[in-house]
Amino acid sequence: LSPLMLDILRKIKAHKVDVCLFGMCKKKLVDGYTNMIYNRPYTQATYHASYLNETPHWHYSMVAGELDDMTADDLQDFADHAFDTTYIKMIMAGNFYEQDALDTAKKVEEVLNSKPLPLYKRDEPLVPIFDTGHFFVMSSVPDKNCRENAIICQFQCNIGFDPAQNCIRFLLAKILYEPFFDQLRTKEQLGYLLGVNGKRLQQAKGTISFGLQGSFNPAYMTMRINHFLRNYRQVLVDYEDAELDRTIQLITEAWKENHKSISDEARAHWEHVVGGDYAFNYNRGNVDIMSKVTKQDLIEFWDKHINPATSPCYSRINYQMWASTAYKPTTEEITSFPLAIIAIHGCLRQEGLDCISVSDVAGIIDAVGKSATVDSVLDTIKKLCLEVPDIDKAFEKISDAKSKVRTAIEMALDKTNSIFKYPSARASELESIGMHQLQDGRWEVEDQKAFKSFYPLSNPTVPTRRLVPKYDS
């Protein structure tokens, strides 16, 4: 393997760009990035989440734009100077002695014959540290033929590299999935694709994300996720200790398992090498910590990071993907009206009632007063739609107990659905980059690049173990 790798490195360093081959490869790359617009809306939402949460990171549309202007001469110039200065990260896995690995590393340095890359030029992965607040990104699904929408609600948990807190976050994401699926997929039938994911972003923070893709408008799906989150604390309180113990046991047993192959082992270790923490036994080392997690720990984590009524560091970003077939509210509408109003309007349009505007819905909710019922709101809406063909048939469906329109109206009339307005020390600064806070407390992120660059980045990852250089004496 070592001679083969060294031979490949020599050829890469001396590479001369073939113009014809360059054209074919460029076309393949451009086509690949262009075709990413056809990825499902849920995946599109994850692209936006990755872009905001990682640096350096580029959205695929940015990469595709740069590829359009690239020439064979540009690539040749890059190839000629790519190895002038290098910083090498390397991993070897297999049956060999330590000295064999050190000798191979030395040969790699000899083949490349480059100067060390200065520390300030190294692109270490960093993470933006967002303030407390509720932010949202509102984008259109690039595939114009797609009829599905998607929403990802991501909670930022600034817990650093604290092993105990990361174990709690990981466990919480695991036990959230089943009730989340049961409520929004099985009972409410909101979409076929949904999930709860927990992710550790370097040593800076962790996230818990709730994702959903379906035919309903993102405003309505967001409200239903909010409803689930508001009620889940009691579910957590009532969670059976025996079930918690069983879940923890399954996790710790999986962590104790050996890797199935050398490639799996190398891949797992490589993630820690690239990340810079070198915590190769991260999971196994946390088995004892995970085994000691209690239900009270989960409740306290929930109240600190996810419950808006109690969290001192509530930081949430929603990524909404709107299909071209759904009515995407204008900036003026999302500024002037609460999320619940936009949710009702979207559900009405989905039932074919295009004659009612967002302002009409807001006026109806305001007019019916505090003593309003869902039926009184529906009666008022029906009076505005008398000229719609088959209005009686449409309202027979809308008036059904399981109707999404009825549910949306119930949420609008329920004042406990309001989103907490967290004060931000950077409020005036956020306004200076074109952001504005809506009536329900959320901040719309119109310019993702400006928003991302506005916040400070995490410190470079600190290795969890002392790195010992090994040189020949």
Side-chain angles (χ1 to χ4, degrees):
L1 179 61
S2 178
L4 176 62
M5 179 187 67
L6 296 176
D7 187 48
I8 291 173
L9 284 176
R10 291 189 187 96
K11 291 183 177 179
I12 291 176
K13 187 176 181 182
H15 181 70
K16 297 301 178 183
V17 176
D18 182 289
V19 176
C20 293
L21 186 60
F22 168 81
M24 290 188 291
C25 292
K26 176 181 175 179
K27 183 180 185 304
K28 185 175 181 179
L29 277 174
V30 171
D31 289 346
Y33 282 111
T34 302
N35 289 335
M36 289 178 76
I37 68 172
Y38 300 112
N39 288 343
R40 58 193 181 190
Y42 189 98
T43 304
Q44 299 289 344
T46 64
Y47 293 152
H48 289 285
S50 297
Y51 173 70
L52 280 187
N53 281 295
E54 300 171 19
T55 296
H57 192 93
W58 299 273
H59 192 267
Y60 68 82
S61 59
M62 302 177 184
V63 180
E66 292 298 325
L67 280 173
D68 284 337
D69 299 327
M70 184 181 295
T71 65
D73 290 338
D74 294 332
L75 186 58
Q76 186 63 65
D77 183 63
F78 174 81
D80 291 341
H81 300 285
F83 297 103
D84 289 351
T85 56
T86 58
Y87 173 62
I88 303 171
K89 286 187 176 183
M90 177 177 169
I91 188 170
M92 292 183 63
N95 297 319
F96 48 80
Y97 293 105
E98 180 181 306
Q99 190 59 48
D100 295 332
L102 296 174
D103 291 342
T104 300
K106 186 175 181 180
K107 290 177 182 177
V108 169
E109 290 181 332
E110 292 174 354
V111 169
L112 295 181
N113 191 29
S114 54
K115 297 179 180 179
L117 183 68
L119 181 62
Y120 73 91
K121 286 189 175 182
R122 299 175 192 172
D123 280 336
E124 297 290 345
L126 301 176
V127 176
I129 305 299
F130 300 122
D131 276 345
T132 57
H134 189 152
F135 310 96
F136 76 100
V137 175
M138 190 172 170
S139 301
S140 298
V141 176
D143 180 5
K144 302 305 180 184
N145 295 319
C146 180
R147 304 178 66 86
E148 296 274 292
N149 305 284
I151 171 72
I152 291 180
C153 299
Q154 185 179 77
F155 291 86
Q156 315 277 321
C157 309
N158 297 325
I159 54 180
F161 204 65
D162 186 325
Q165 290 295 299
N166 274 289
C167 283
I168 294 170
R169 177 193 53 77
F170 183 87
L171 176 60
L172 187 58
K174 287 291 184 183
I175 65 176
L176 273 165
Y177 176 79
E178 187 174 334
F180 185 71
F181 184 95
D182 180 59
Q183 180 62 40
L184 276 70
R185 173 68 180 94
T186 306
K187 295 179 180 177
E188 300 190 25
Q189 297 288 306
L190 290 186
Y192 66 92
L193 180 62
L194 76 169
V196 179
N197 299 296
K199 188 176 182 181
R200 182 169 63 93
L201 300 173
Q202 303 304 322
Q203 290 180 341
K205 65 183 179 183
T207 62
I208 294 182
S209 302
F210 301 84
L212 177 62
Q213 177 180 315
S215 60
F216 301 98
N217 69 85
Y220 179 81
M221 293 194 290
T222 301
M223 293 289 289
R224 295 315 296 164
I225 293 176
N226 291 345
H227 182 267
F228 169 82
L229 295 175
R230 193 171 64 252
N231 295 329
Y232 185 74
R233 189 185 190 279
Q234 188 58 46
V235 177
L236 202 56
V237 170
D238 296 335
Y239 201 75
E240 294 289 341
D241 291 334
E243 182 65 19
L244 179 62
D245 292 340
R246 188 182 71 85
T247 303
I248 291 176
Q249 183 180 1
L250 291 173
I251 293 172
T252 54
E253 287 178 354
W255 285 357
K256 292 177 184 178
E257 290 182 359
N258 293 324
H259 295 290
K260 299 295 188 298
S261 64
I262 291 178
S263 60
D264 287 344
E265 181 180 6
R267 191 180 301 110
H269 290 339
W270 183 243
E271 290 180 2
H272 293 289
V273 172
V274 173
D277 56 55
Y278 300 100
F280 300 119
N281 295 318
Y282 180 79
N283 285 343
R284 288 192 176 188
N286 287 336
V287 167
D288 289 340
I289 297 174
M290 177 63 80
S291 300
K292 297 176 183 178
V293 174
T294 65
K295 182 166 66 175
Q296 185 60 34
D297 292 331
L298 296 172
I299 294 173
E300 290 177 359
F301 188 96
W302 182 269
D303 287 341
K304 182 176 181 180
H305 296 286
I306 299 178
N307 187 351
T310 58
S311 172
C313 52
Y314 186 80
S315 182
R316 170 178 172 177
I317 304 179
N318 289 353
Y319 304 91
Q320 299 179 356
M321 300 302 302
W322 293 73
S324 59
T325 53
Y327 176 80
K328 183 181 177 183
T330 64
T331 300
E332 182 180 355
E333 287 171 339
I334 63 174
T335 303
S336 304
F337 305 112
L339 186 66
I341 299 299
I342 294 174
I344 296 173
H345 177 257
C347 291
L348 287 171
R349 287 185 67 94
Q350 191 167 2
E351 297 298 337
L353 302 182
D354 300 342
C355 57
I356 296 182
S357 66
V358 179
S359 58
D360 289 336
V361 175
I364 292 171
I365 296 297
D366 290 339
V368 293
K370 296 181 179 180
S371 59
T373 64
V374 176
D375 290 330
S376 64
V377 174
L378 287 174
D379 289 340
T380 307
I381 292 174
K382 186 175 182 179
K383 293 176 182 177
L384 296 178
C385 303
L386 294 177
E387 297 182 1
V388 175
D390 298 325
I391 184 63
D392 291 331
K393 184 177 180 180
F395 262 81
E396 182 179 349
K397 181 180 178 181
I398 291 172
S399 302
D400 185 82
K402 295 182 179 180
S403 163
K404 299 300 186 282
V405 174
R406 176 177 284 275
T407 302
I409 295 172
E410 289 174 351
M411 292 190 293
L413 297 179
D414 183 3
K415 299 306 179 184
T416 61
N417 272 307
S418 60
I419 297 176
F420 293 81
K421 291 188 178 182
Y422 274 90
S424 173
R426 297 175 179 264
S428 60
E429 298 176 59
L430 289 173
E431 292 172 352
S432 71
I433 61 171
M435 293 179 60
H436 47 271
Q437 192 171 28
L438 310 186
Q439 288 187 1
D440 49 16
R442 297 171 300 149
W443 289 86
E444 182 188 8
V445 180
E446 293 188 18
D447 187 337
Q448 294 184 51
K449 184 178 180 180
F451 178 74
K452 180 179 180 178
S453 60
F454 174 77
Y455 286 100
L457 297 175
S458 64
N459 294 322
T461 301
V462 178
T464 59
R465 61 179 65 202
R466 182 169 176 261
L467 301 182
V468 183
K470 298 189 176 183
Y471 302 105
D472 294 332
S473 57

